[in-house]
mmCIF file with all atom_site columns, all heavy atoms in Angstrom:
data_model
loop_
_atom_site.group_PDB
_atom_site.id
_atom_site.type_symbol
_atom_site.label_atom_id
_atom_site.label_alt_id
_atom_site.label_comp_id
_atom_site.label_asym_id
_atom_site.label_entity_id
_atom_site.label_seq_id
_atom_site.pdbx_PDB_ins_code
_atom_site.Cartn_x
_atom_site.Cartn_y
_atom_site.Cartn_z
_atom_site.occupancy
_atom_site.B_iso_or_equiv
_atom_site.pdbx_formal_charge
_atom_site.auth_seq_id
_atom_site.auth_comp_id
_atom_site.auth_asym_id
_atom_site.auth_atom_id
_atom_site.pdbx_PDB_model_num
ATOM 1   N N   . GLU A 1 112 ? -1.188 8.618  19.405 1.00 0.00 ? 126 GLU A N   1
ATOM 2   C CA  . GLU A 1 112 ? -1.159 7.985  20.760 1.00 0.00 ? 126 GLU A CA  1
ATOM 3   C C   . GLU A 1 112 ? -1.915 6.638  20.790 1.00 0.00 ? 126 GLU A C   1
ATOM 4   O O   . GLU A 1 112 ? -1.327 5.688  21.388 1.00 0.00 ? 126 GLU A O   1
ATOM 5   C CB  . GLU A 1 112 ? -1.876 8.917  21.723 1.00 0.00 ? 126 GLU A CB  1
ATOM 6   C CG  . GLU A 1 112 ? -1.147 10.170 22.198 1.00 0.00 ? 126 GLU A CG  1
ATOM 7   C CD  . GLU A 1 112 ? 0.154  9.872  22.828 1.00 0.00 ? 126 GLU A CD  1
ATOM 8   O OE1 . GLU A 1 112 ? 0.356  8.859  23.610 1.00 0.00 ? 126 GLU A OE1 1
ATOM 9   O OE2 . GLU A 1 112 ? 1.106  10.726 22.613 1.00 0.00 ? 126 GLU A OE2 1
ATOM 10  N N   . ALA A 1 113 ? -2.976 6.471  19.991 1.00 0.00 ? 127 ALA A N   1
ATOM 11  C CA  . ALA A 1 113 ? -3.630 5.150  19.954 1.00 0.00 ? 127 ALA A CA  1
ATOM 12  C C   . ALA A 1 113 ? -2.727 4.101  19.349 1.00 0.00 ? 127 ALA A C   1
ATOM 13  O O   . ALA A 1 113 ? -2.624 2.983  19.908 1.00 0.00 ? 127 ALA A O   1
ATOM 14  C CB  . ALA A 1 113 ? -4.991 5.338  19.150 1.00 0.00 ? 127 ALA A CB  1
ATOM 15  N N   . MET A 1 114 ? -2.085 4.547  18.309 1.00 0.00 ? 128 MET A N   1
ATOM 16  C CA  . MET A 1 114 ? -1.097 3.610  17.604 1.00 0.00 ? 128 MET A CA  1
ATOM 17  C C   . MET A 1 114 ? -0.012 3.107  18.442 1.00 0.00 ? 128 MET A C   1
ATOM 18  O O   . MET A 1 114 ? 0.362  1.929  18.513 1.00 0.00 ? 128 MET A O   1
ATOM 19  C CB  . MET A 1 114 ? -0.469 4.378  16.490 1.00 0.00 ? 128 MET A CB  1
ATOM 20  C CG  . MET A 1 114 ? 0.447  3.460  15.570 1.00 0.00 ? 128 MET A CG  1
ATOM 21  S SD  . MET A 1 114 ? 1.210  4.519  14.305 1.00 0.00 ? 128 MET A SD  1
ATOM 22  C CE  . MET A 1 114 ? 2.262  5.473  15.346 1.00 0.00 ? 128 MET A CE  1
ATOM 23  N N   . LEU A 1 115 ? 0.589  4.079  19.292 1.00 0.00 ? 129 LEU A N   1
ATOM 24  C CA  . LEU A 1 115 ? 1.694  3.735  20.199 1.00 0.00 ? 129 LEU A CA  1
ATOM 25  C C   . LEU A 1 115 ? 1.231  2.780  21.273 1.00 0.00 ? 129 LEU A C   1
ATOM 26  O O   . LEU A 1 115 ? 1.926  1.818  21.713 1.00 0.00 ? 129 LEU A O   1
ATOM 27  C CB  . LEU A 1 115 ? 2.183  4.968  20.781 1.00 0.00 ? 129 LEU A CB  1
ATOM 28  C CG  . LEU A 1 115 ? 2.881  6.000  19.837 1.00 0.00 ? 129 LEU A CG  1
ATOM 29  C CD1 . LEU A 1 115 ? 3.348  7.254  20.672 1.00 0.00 ? 129 LEU A CD1 1
ATOM 30  C CD2 . LEU A 1 115 ? 4.049  5.382  19.124 1.00 0.00 ? 129 LEU A CD2 1
ATOM 31  N N   . ARG A 1 116 ? -0.133 2.964  21.723 1.00 0.00 ? 130 ARG A N   1
ATOM 32  C CA  . ARG A 1 116 ? -0.598 1.976  22.762 1.00 0.00 ? 130 ARG A CA  1
ATOM 33  C C   . ARG A 1 116 ? -0.799 0.572  22.154 1.00 0.00 ? 130 ARG A C   1
ATOM 34  O O   . ARG A 1 116 ? -0.549 -0.496 22.768 1.00 0.00 ? 130 ARG A O   1
ATOM 35  C CB  . ARG A 1 116 ? -1.969 2.452  23.263 1.00 0.00 ? 130 ARG A CB  1
ATOM 36  C CG  . ARG A 1 116 ? -1.906 3.808  23.909 1.00 0.00 ? 130 ARG A CG  1
ATOM 37  C CD  . ARG A 1 116 ? -1.166 3.946  25.198 1.00 0.00 ? 130 ARG A CD  1
ATOM 38  N NE  . ARG A 1 116 ? -1.112 5.389  25.691 1.00 0.00 ? 130 ARG A NE  1
ATOM 39  C CZ  . ARG A 1 116 ? -0.506 5.819  26.736 1.00 0.00 ? 130 ARG A CZ  1
ATOM 40  N NH1 . ARG A 1 116 ? 0.230  5.027  27.557 1.00 0.00 ? 130 ARG A NH1 1
ATOM 41  N NH2 . ARG A 1 116 ? -0.429 7.181  27.033 1.00 0.00 ? 130 ARG A NH2 1
ATOM 42  N N   . GLU A 1 117 ? -1.432 0.552  20.901 1.00 0.00 ? 131 GLU A N   1
ATOM 43  C CA  . GLU A 1 117 ? -1.702 -0.727 20.357 1.00 0.00 ? 131 GLU A CA  1
ATOM 44  C C   . GLU A 1 117 ? -0.536 -1.407 19.795 1.00 0.00 ? 131 GLU A C   1
ATOM 45  O O   . GLU A 1 117 ? -0.427 -2.741 19.802 1.00 0.00 ? 131 GLU A O   1
ATOM 46  C CB  . GLU A 1 117 ? -2.872 -0.569 19.244 1.00 0.00 ? 131 GLU A CB  1
ATOM 47  C CG  . GLU A 1 117 ? -3.225 -1.910 18.759 1.00 0.00 ? 131 GLU A CG  1
ATOM 48  C CD  . GLU A 1 117 ? -4.310 -1.833 17.705 1.00 0.00 ? 131 GLU A CD  1
ATOM 49  O OE1 . GLU A 1 117 ? -4.597 -0.755 17.137 1.00 0.00 ? 131 GLU A OE1 1
ATOM 50  O OE2 . GLU A 1 117 ? -4.989 -2.976 17.352 1.00 0.00 ? 131 GLU A OE2 1
ATOM 51  N N   . LEU A 1 118 ? 0.426  -0.652 19.237 1.00 0.00 ? 132 LEU A N   1
ATOM 52  C CA  . LEU A 1 118 ? 1.610  -1.320 18.546 1.00 0.00 ? 132 LEU A CA  1
ATOM 53  C C   . LEU A 1 118 ? 2.883  -0.715 19.258 1.00 0.00 ? 132 LEU A C   1
ATOM 54  O O   . LEU A 1 118 ? 3.473  0.150  18.756 1.00 0.00 ? 132 LEU A O   1
ATOM 55  C CB  . LEU A 1 118 ? 1.653  -0.928 17.086 1.00 0.00 ? 132 LEU A CB  1
ATOM 56  C CG  . LEU A 1 118 ? 0.445  -1.477 16.353 1.00 0.00 ? 132 LEU A CG  1
ATOM 57  C CD1 . LEU A 1 118 ? 0.346  -0.684 14.979 1.00 0.00 ? 132 LEU A CD1 1
ATOM 58  C CD2 . LEU A 1 118 ? 0.520  -2.932 16.143 1.00 0.00 ? 132 LEU A CD2 1
ATOM 59  N N   . PRO A 1 119 ? 3.276  -1.479 20.352 1.00 0.00 ? 133 PRO A N   1
ATOM 60  C CA  . PRO A 1 119 ? 4.462  -1.030 21.097 1.00 0.00 ? 133 PRO A CA  1
ATOM 61  C C   . PRO A 1 119 ? 5.696  -0.944 20.338 1.00 0.00 ? 133 PRO A C   1
ATOM 62  O O   . PRO A 1 119 ? 6.610  -0.085 20.596 1.00 0.00 ? 133 PRO A O   1
ATOM 63  C CB  . PRO A 1 119 ? 4.679  -2.042 22.193 1.00 0.00 ? 133 PRO A CB  1
ATOM 64  C CG  . PRO A 1 119 ? 3.268  -2.747 22.311 1.00 0.00 ? 133 PRO A CG  1
ATOM 65  C CD  . PRO A 1 119 ? 2.762  -2.689 20.950 1.00 0.00 ? 133 PRO A CD  1
ATOM 66  N N   . GLN A 1 120 ? 5.883  -1.758 19.290 1.00 0.00 ? 134 GLN A N   1
ATOM 67  C CA  . GLN A 1 120 ? 7.156  -1.538 18.431 1.00 0.00 ? 134 GLN A CA  1
ATOM 68  C C   . GLN A 1 120 ? 7.099  -0.146 17.691 1.00 0.00 ? 134 GLN A C   1
ATOM 69  O O   . GLN A 1 120 ? 8.136  0.241  17.413 1.00 0.00 ? 134 GLN A O   1
ATOM 70  C CB  . GLN A 1 120 ? 7.230  -2.707 17.403 1.00 0.00 ? 134 GLN A CB  1
ATOM 71  C CG  . GLN A 1 120 ? 6.259  -2.812 16.293 1.00 0.00 ? 134 GLN A CG  1
ATOM 72  C CD  . GLN A 1 120 ? 5.061  -3.659 16.692 1.00 0.00 ? 134 GLN A CD  1
ATOM 73  O OE1 . GLN A 1 120 ? 4.337  -3.456 17.743 1.00 0.00 ? 134 GLN A OE1 1
ATOM 74  N NE2 . GLN A 1 120 ? 4.619  -4.678 15.822 1.00 0.00 ? 134 GLN A NE2 1
ATOM 75  N N   . MET A 1 121 ? 5.999  0.484  17.538 1.00 0.00 ? 135 MET A N   1
ATOM 76  C CA  . MET A 1 121 ? 6.012  1.794  16.958 1.00 0.00 ? 135 MET A CA  1
ATOM 77  C C   . MET A 1 121 ? 6.609  2.794  18.009 1.00 0.00 ? 135 MET A C   1
ATOM 78  O O   . MET A 1 121 ? 7.191  3.825  17.556 1.00 0.00 ? 135 MET A O   1
ATOM 79  C CB  . MET A 1 121 ? 4.628  2.278  16.573 1.00 0.00 ? 135 MET A CB  1
ATOM 80  C CG  . MET A 1 121 ? 4.160  1.388  15.420 1.00 0.00 ? 135 MET A CG  1
ATOM 81  S SD  . MET A 1 121 ? 5.189  1.552  13.895 1.00 0.00 ? 135 MET A SD  1
ATOM 82  C CE  . MET A 1 121 ? 5.068  3.209  13.336 1.00 0.00 ? 135 MET A CE  1
ATOM 83  N N   . GLU A 1 122 ? 6.375  2.508  19.242 1.00 0.00 ? 136 GLU A N   1
ATOM 84  C CA  . GLU A 1 122 ? 7.079  3.351  20.286 1.00 0.00 ? 136 GLU A CA  1
ATOM 85  C C   . GLU A 1 122 ? 8.616  3.296  19.983 1.00 0.00 ? 136 GLU A C   1
ATOM 86  O O   . GLU A 1 122 ? 9.336  4.389  20.007 1.00 0.00 ? 136 GLU A O   1
ATOM 87  C CB  . GLU A 1 122 ? 6.745  2.934  21.606 1.00 0.00 ? 136 GLU A CB  1
ATOM 88  C CG  . GLU A 1 122 ? 7.031  3.903  22.772 1.00 0.00 ? 136 GLU A CG  1
ATOM 89  C CD  . GLU A 1 122 ? 6.054  5.071  22.971 1.00 0.00 ? 136 GLU A CD  1
ATOM 90  O OE1 . GLU A 1 122 ? 4.975  4.888  23.480 1.00 0.00 ? 136 GLU A OE1 1
ATOM 91  O OE2 . GLU A 1 122 ? 6.403  6.186  22.435 1.00 0.00 ? 136 GLU A OE2 1
ATOM 92  N N   . ARG A 1 123 ? 9.074  2.128  19.853 1.00 0.00 ? 137 ARG A N   1
ATOM 93  C CA  . ARG A 1 123 ? 10.508 2.015  19.541 1.00 0.00 ? 137 ARG A CA  1
ATOM 94  C C   . ARG A 1 123 ? 10.914 2.593  18.250 1.00 0.00 ? 137 ARG A C   1
ATOM 95  O O   . ARG A 1 123 ? 11.910 3.290  18.217 1.00 0.00 ? 137 ARG A O   1
ATOM 96  C CB  . ARG A 1 123 ? 10.865 0.460  19.527 1.00 0.00 ? 137 ARG A CB  1
ATOM 97  C CG  . ARG A 1 123 ? 12.364 0.098  19.281 1.00 0.00 ? 137 ARG A CG  1
ATOM 98  C CD  . ARG A 1 123 ? 12.638 -1.411 19.457 1.00 0.00 ? 137 ARG A CD  1
ATOM 99  N NE  . ARG A 1 123 ? 14.059 -1.615 19.018 1.00 0.00 ? 137 ARG A NE  1
ATOM 100 C CZ  . ARG A 1 123 ? 15.110 -1.322 19.795 1.00 0.00 ? 137 ARG A CZ  1
ATOM 101 N NH1 . ARG A 1 123 ? 14.923 -0.972 21.103 1.00 0.00 ? 137 ARG A NH1 1
ATOM 102 N NH2 . ARG A 1 123 ? 16.276 -1.671 19.414 1.00 0.00 ? 137 ARG A NH2 1
ATOM 103 N N   . TYR A 1 124 ? 10.071 2.409  17.284 1.00 0.00 ? 138 TYR A N   1
ATOM 104 C CA  . TYR A 1 124 ? 10.393 2.989  15.998 1.00 0.00 ? 138 TYR A CA  1
ATOM 105 C C   . TYR A 1 124 ? 10.598 4.455  16.095 1.00 0.00 ? 138 TYR A C   1
ATOM 106 O O   . TYR A 1 124 ? 11.507 5.125  15.573 1.00 0.00 ? 138 TYR A O   1
ATOM 107 C CB  . TYR A 1 124 ? 9.283  2.673  14.860 1.00 0.00 ? 138 TYR A CB  1
ATOM 108 C CG  . TYR A 1 124 ? 9.400  3.527  13.699 1.00 0.00 ? 138 TYR A CG  1
ATOM 109 C CD1 . TYR A 1 124 ? 10.356 3.292  12.694 1.00 0.00 ? 138 TYR A CD1 1
ATOM 110 C CD2 . TYR A 1 124 ? 8.486  4.519  13.454 1.00 0.00 ? 138 TYR A CD2 1
ATOM 111 C CE1 . TYR A 1 124 ? 10.334 4.061  11.514 1.00 0.00 ? 138 TYR A CE1 1
ATOM 112 C CE2 . TYR A 1 124 ? 8.461  5.281  12.297 1.00 0.00 ? 138 TYR A CE2 1
ATOM 113 C CZ  . TYR A 1 124 ? 9.443  5.090  11.380 1.00 0.00 ? 138 TYR A CZ  1
ATOM 114 O OH  . TYR A 1 124 ? 9.480  5.875  10.116 1.00 0.00 ? 138 TYR A OH  1
ATOM 115 N N   . PHE A 1 125 ? 9.572  5.150  16.663 1.00 0.00 ? 139 PHE A N   1
ATOM 116 C CA  . PHE A 1 125 ? 9.711  6.643  16.756 1.00 0.00 ? 139 PHE A CA  1
ATOM 117 C C   . PHE A 1 125 ? 10.789 7.067  17.778 1.00 0.00 ? 139 PHE A C   1
ATOM 118 O O   . PHE A 1 125 ? 11.393 8.087  17.527 1.00 0.00 ? 139 PHE A O   1
ATOM 119 C CB  . PHE A 1 125 ? 8.319  7.187  17.298 1.00 0.00 ? 139 PHE A CB  1
ATOM 120 C CG  . PHE A 1 125 ? 7.410  7.426  16.003 1.00 0.00 ? 139 PHE A CG  1
ATOM 121 C CD1 . PHE A 1 125 ? 6.338  6.547  15.862 1.00 0.00 ? 139 PHE A CD1 1
ATOM 122 C CD2 . PHE A 1 125 ? 7.645  8.382  15.085 1.00 0.00 ? 139 PHE A CD2 1
ATOM 123 C CE1 . PHE A 1 125 ? 5.490  6.658  14.753 1.00 0.00 ? 139 PHE A CE1 1
ATOM 124 C CE2 . PHE A 1 125 ? 6.803  8.550  14.047 1.00 0.00 ? 139 PHE A CE2 1
ATOM 125 C CZ  . PHE A 1 125 ? 5.732  7.717  13.878 1.00 0.00 ? 139 PHE A CZ  1
ATOM 126 N N   . ARG A 1 126 ? 11.091 6.240  18.752 1.00 0.00 ? 140 ARG A N   1
ATOM 127 C CA  . ARG A 1 126 ? 12.280 6.515  19.606 1.00 0.00 ? 140 ARG A CA  1
ATOM 128 C C   . ARG A 1 126 ? 13.532 6.619  18.766 1.00 0.00 ? 140 ARG A C   1
ATOM 129 O O   . ARG A 1 126 ? 14.288 7.583  18.814 1.00 0.00 ? 140 ARG A O   1
ATOM 130 C CB  . ARG A 1 126 ? 12.404 5.598  20.854 1.00 0.00 ? 140 ARG A CB  1
ATOM 131 C CG  . ARG A 1 126 ? 13.365 6.059  21.896 1.00 0.00 ? 140 ARG A CG  1
ATOM 132 C CD  . ARG A 1 126 ? 14.800 5.524  21.680 1.00 0.00 ? 140 ARG A CD  1
ATOM 133 N NE  . ARG A 1 126 ? 14.829 4.021  21.624 1.00 0.00 ? 140 ARG A NE  1
ATOM 134 C CZ  . ARG A 1 126 ? 15.881 3.455  21.131 1.00 0.00 ? 140 ARG A CZ  1
ATOM 135 N NH1 . ARG A 1 126 ? 16.942 4.116  20.591 1.00 0.00 ? 140 ARG A NH1 1
ATOM 136 N NH2 . ARG A 1 126 ? 15.887 2.131  21.101 1.00 0.00 ? 140 ARG A NH2 1
ATOM 137 N N   . ILE A 1 127 ? 13.676 5.704  17.891 1.00 0.00 ? 141 ILE A N   1
ATOM 138 C CA  . ILE A 1 127 ? 14.859 5.609  17.123 1.00 0.00 ? 141 ILE A CA  1
ATOM 139 C C   . ILE A 1 127 ? 14.892 6.768  16.028 1.00 0.00 ? 141 ILE A C   1
ATOM 140 O O   . ILE A 1 127 ? 15.898 7.348  15.896 1.00 0.00 ? 141 ILE A O   1
ATOM 141 C CB  . ILE A 1 127 ? 14.905 4.117  16.350 1.00 0.00 ? 141 ILE A CB  1
ATOM 142 C CG1 . ILE A 1 127 ? 15.169 3.117  17.396 1.00 0.00 ? 141 ILE A CG1 1
ATOM 143 C CG2 . ILE A 1 127 ? 16.114 4.179  15.276 1.00 0.00 ? 141 ILE A CG2 1
ATOM 144 C CD1 . ILE A 1 127 ? 15.065 1.714  16.836 1.00 0.00 ? 141 ILE A CD1 1
ATOM 145 N N   . VAL A 1 128 ? 13.720 6.955  15.411 1.00 0.00 ? 142 VAL A N   1
ATOM 146 C CA  . VAL A 1 128 ? 13.610 8.030  14.449 1.00 0.00 ? 142 VAL A CA  1
ATOM 147 C C   . VAL A 1 128 ? 13.987 9.339  15.039 1.00 0.00 ? 142 VAL A C   1
ATOM 148 O O   . VAL A 1 128 ? 14.734 10.189 14.488 1.00 0.00 ? 142 VAL A O   1
ATOM 149 C CB  . VAL A 1 128 ? 12.268 8.074  13.766 1.00 0.00 ? 142 VAL A CB  1
ATOM 150 C CG1 . VAL A 1 128 ? 11.949 9.396  13.064 1.00 0.00 ? 142 VAL A CG1 1
ATOM 151 C CG2 . VAL A 1 128 ? 12.045 6.872  12.786 1.00 0.00 ? 142 VAL A CG2 1
ATOM 152 N N   . MET A 1 129 ? 13.448 9.546  16.213 1.00 0.00 ? 143 MET A N   1
ATOM 153 C CA  . MET A 1 129 ? 13.668 11.028 16.947 1.00 0.00 ? 143 MET A CA  1
ATOM 154 C C   . MET A 1 129 ? 15.030 10.969 17.329 1.00 0.00 ? 143 MET A C   1
ATOM 155 O O   . MET A 1 129 ? 15.733 12.024 17.280 1.00 0.00 ? 143 MET A O   1
ATOM 156 C CB  . MET A 1 129 ? 12.735 10.967 18.131 1.00 0.00 ? 143 MET A CB  1
ATOM 157 C CG  . MET A 1 129 ? 11.339 11.098 17.851 1.00 0.00 ? 143 MET A CG  1
ATOM 158 S SD  . MET A 1 129 ? 10.883 12.553 16.917 1.00 0.00 ? 143 MET A SD  1
ATOM 159 C CE  . MET A 1 129 ? 9.251  12.124 16.268 1.00 0.00 ? 143 MET A CE  1
ATOM 160 N N   . GLN A 1 130 ? 15.682 9.905  17.885 1.00 0.00 ? 144 GLN A N   1
ATOM 161 C CA  . GLN A 1 130 ? 17.067 9.921  18.292 1.00 0.00 ? 144 GLN A CA  1
ATOM 162 C C   . GLN A 1 130 ? 17.955 10.186 16.968 1.00 0.00 ? 144 GLN A C   1
ATOM 163 O O   . GLN A 1 130 ? 18.916 10.880 17.173 1.00 0.00 ? 144 GLN A O   1
ATOM 164 C CB  . GLN A 1 130 ? 17.387 8.542  18.918 1.00 0.00 ? 144 GLN A CB  1
ATOM 165 C CG  . GLN A 1 130 ? 18.816 8.600  19.741 1.00 0.00 ? 144 GLN A CG  1
ATOM 166 C CD  . GLN A 1 130 ? 18.968 7.464  20.620 1.00 0.00 ? 144 GLN A CD  1
ATOM 167 O OE1 . GLN A 1 130 ? 18.124 6.539  20.681 1.00 0.00 ? 144 GLN A OE1 1
ATOM 168 N NE2 . GLN A 1 130 ? 20.114 7.451  21.323 1.00 0.00 ? 144 GLN A NE2 1
#
Side-chain angles (χ1 to χ4, degrees):
Chain A
E126 287 302 326
M128 181 187 71
L129 297 176
R130 304 285 175 188
E131 186 178 10
L132 298 165
Q134 67 270 52
M135 290 305 287
E136 194 79 79
R137 181 172 173 85
Y138 167 74
F139 278 104
R140 193 267 302 160
I141 293 169
V142 165
M143 293 298 161
Q144 197 167 358

